[in-house]
Structure formats: C-alpha cells, structure tokens
Amino acid sequence: PPLDLPKAKVRTAIDVTLKRARENVERRRKDDVLWYGPVHGHMYRDLVRRSARGICELDFPVVAIGSSVQMLVRYMFAANARSIANVREHLPADRPVHLFGAGHPLYMAAAVMLGVDLFDSAFYVLAARDDRYITLSGTLHLDAMTEFPCSCEVCSRTTPAELMKMDRAARTKALATHNLIVTMEELARIREAIRSGTLLELALRRMRSHPRM
C-alpha cells in the first residue's frame, strides 16, 4: 500500500493479502519453494501486528516487509527503521525477514542490526541508468565527479569524464558493475561483523556517514 493511504484502506489491503496468502497455502503443489509472506501496515503498530500475526499463523518460511522502497527513496531511514522494528517485534525469533527493495549499502548494516536477514533490489542498476554512483556514504552524480574514490575493476580503469563520453548502454553497464560490487562488498563486511561481534559498531559508523541516517 502507498505510504499516504488512509488507515482504513491499509487495513483492507492487509485483509486482502491475508486472504490471498491462505489461498496460496491451499493451492500449493510443490514443497521445494521458499514461500514469502508479506507484512504490511507501515507505521501503524496495530496493523503491523495484525498483518504479522496473520502471516505467521500460515506456512510461510520467510516474512517479507513491504513498502520499504517508498521510504528509502525519500531517505526516510528513521521511519523505515521503526517499521522494521514493529514487524520484528511480532515475529518468532527464528523467522527470517526479507526487506523488499532495500538496495543501498549505506542502510544495510542498520537494517541487519534491526533484524533483517535478506535483501533484494535493482537499485544498483536503476541508479546506474540515472548516472548515479553508489558509495558507502551516499550516492553521487557522475557528471559532478572528477575522480573515483574506489579501486574496483571499473573505477581503476577509467575516469568519470571518460565514462560520461561512453554511449548510454556502456556507461550504464559500467556504473551498474561498480554499484553492485560496492553493495556486495558491504554485505560481506556485514557478515564478517556478525561473526566478530562488531555489527553494532559497523552500523553506527554508517549512521554517522549521512545526515539523514
């Protein structure tokens, strides 16, 4: 549901989702599919509780939090954090959580600290199509850059000016490659922080790297 949808309509949307979720369980014929149950409700704690408990009563191995893209594209990090916390509060401790559309590495450590386990996003390529260059402290516009602060396979071989001279398809591919590398490196960094018990420190460093965080 859109962020500005009235509460009554959000409640209706949740009821429709739960109805379809029950139908999904009844229709299933394969047991080798990892089914995701989406939780809605945004910042309405009572609706989040209604949605989360309804999904958890059904056979969905993974719970997915919706509407995060709408918040993150507006840099509503605090609102999204509250949404994650609201959902996580009403889930079994062993139920993994998937955050739909959260693809900026700036936010991932904080999201994991709040209880997110899985991510998916096309942000790395969507940003590239708009000539945006992802860093761990935000996103830069390619035409405003003089040099790359990165030594990945793309950045070490070219300059921003040279990329700007490429045709659109080649430039998008190069930028998407860099953006994906930065994202995957951050996920590896997060996993290592979990193993070493330093996830909180990593999340706090990321939070201080952007004024909206």
Side-chain angles (χ1 to χ4, degrees), residues 31-53:
D31 58 6
D32 60 348
V33 177
L34 191 64
W35 294 100
Y36 279 34
V39 171
H40 303 303
H42 312 315
M43 304 315 299
Y44 301 115
R45 291 177 62 85
D46 57 330
L47 296 189
V48 168
R49 180 170 61 251
R50 178 192 186 103
S51 181
R53 290 180 175 176

Side-chain angles (χ1 to χ4, degrees), residues 42-92:
H42 312 315
M43 304 315 299
Y44 301 115
R45 291 177 62 85
D46 57 330
L47 296 189
V48 168
R49 180 170 61 251
R50 178 192 186 103
S51 181
R53 290 180 175 176
I55 286 294
C56 287
E57 290 172 357
L58 302 172
D59 180 22
F60 286 95
V62 180
V63 169
I65 301 176
S67 302
S68 59
V69 173
Q70 299 177 63
M71 297 182 191
L72 297 179
V73 296
R74 304 180 198 179
Y75 286 79
M76 297 168 62
F77 296 120
N80 193 245
R82 286 192 293 271
S83 179
I84 295 170
N86 287 347
V87 174
R88 185 79 260 187
E89 179 183 356
H90 300 293
L91 300 182

Side-chain angles (χ1 to χ4, degrees), residues 2 7 11 37 53 88 100 113 145 151 156 167 207:
K7 185 175 182 178
R11 183 184 293 108
R53 290 180 175 176
R88 185 79 260 187
F100 277 133
M113 188 179 70
M145 300 177 67
S151 57
S156 60
D167 65 75
M207 289 177 193

Side-chain angles (χ1 to χ4, degrees), residues 111-147:
V112 172
M113 188 179 70
L114 288 164
V116 172
D117 303 284
L118 300 164
F119 299 91
D120 80 294
S121 178
F123 179 66
Y124 73 97
V125 70
L126 296 177
R129 290 174 183 169
D130 196 30
D131 288 340
R132 288 184 290 164
Y133 178 95
I134 294 176
T135 76
L136 292 177
S137 57
T139 306
L140 306 174
H141 287 275
L142 186 62
D143 59 4
M145 300 177 67
T146 301
E147 58 183 308

Side-chain angles (χ1 to χ4, degrees), residues 16-45:
V16 171
T17 295
L18 292 176
K19 177 177 181 291
R20 292 177 178 170
R22 287 189 289 271
E23 291 171 353
N24 170 275
V25 173
E26 294 169 0
R27 288 199 312 265
R28 291 179 194 172
R29 296 294 179 268
K30 296 182 178 181
D31 58 6
D32 60 348
V33 177
L34 191 64
W35 294 100
Y36 279 34
V39 171
H40 303 303
H42 312 315
M43 304 315 299
Y44 301 115
R45 291 177 62 85

